Amino acid sequence: AGSFVGNATFQNQTTMSNGQSDALTLLLGRRGELQTVFSSGASWDDSYSAMAVNARTNEIFIIGTFTDDGTKITLGPLTFNSIYSDFSAMIKMDGISGSFVWKRVDFGNMLPNKCKVDASGNIVVAGRFTGTGT
């Protein structure tokens, strides 16, 4: 997981950014072969800040921050409209097929920068807060 600007091609798969910089995810097989590549983003700077893997279930969790001007946002194949200019999101992927399972958008004023899966399978997200929270 990372970020890019413009077009990015990996083997025979090309993805294009939606705005200035977009978040980028590559899913590689056990031998390093490319299985899936996708971008996520809105009209401004977007990036993934952390990812975690549940080794027992092969689930992948990716978190990031996005900046938008009210247009549509894509998280891989998922598209939605933002009601905030700055927000955070988490996606859950199946680590075997590369398919999306769900998304969670907006952690309030939290800007997440770390995530992990604990021994019970819970997702733990850490970050910093801006402004006030309730």
Side-chain angles (χ1 to χ4, degrees), residues 4 11 39 44 49 51 54 57 61 68 72 78 93 102 107 109-110 120 124-125:
F4 75 105
Q11 292 177 8
S39 62
W44 298 98
S49 50
M51 65 187 302
N54 185 331
T57 61
F61 302 93
D68 184 40
K72 72 175 185 172
L78 310 173
M93 295 176 59
W102 53 253
F107 289 87
N109 291 334
M110 181 181 183
S120 299
V124 180
V125 177

Side-chain angles (χ1 to χ4, degrees), residues 49-54 59-64 89-91 102 104 107 110-128:
S49 50
M51 65 187 302
V53 176
N54 185 331
E59 298 166 323
I60 301 170
F61 302 93
I62 306 171
I63 59 172
M90 173 184 279
I91 58 173
W102 53 253
R104 164 82 197 265
F107 289 87
M110 181 181 183
L111 301 173
N113 56 23
K114 295 182 189 225
C115 70
K116 70 177 269 184
V117 178
D118 69 12
S120 299
N122 299 307
I123 308 157
V124 180
V125 177
R128 63 184 177 86

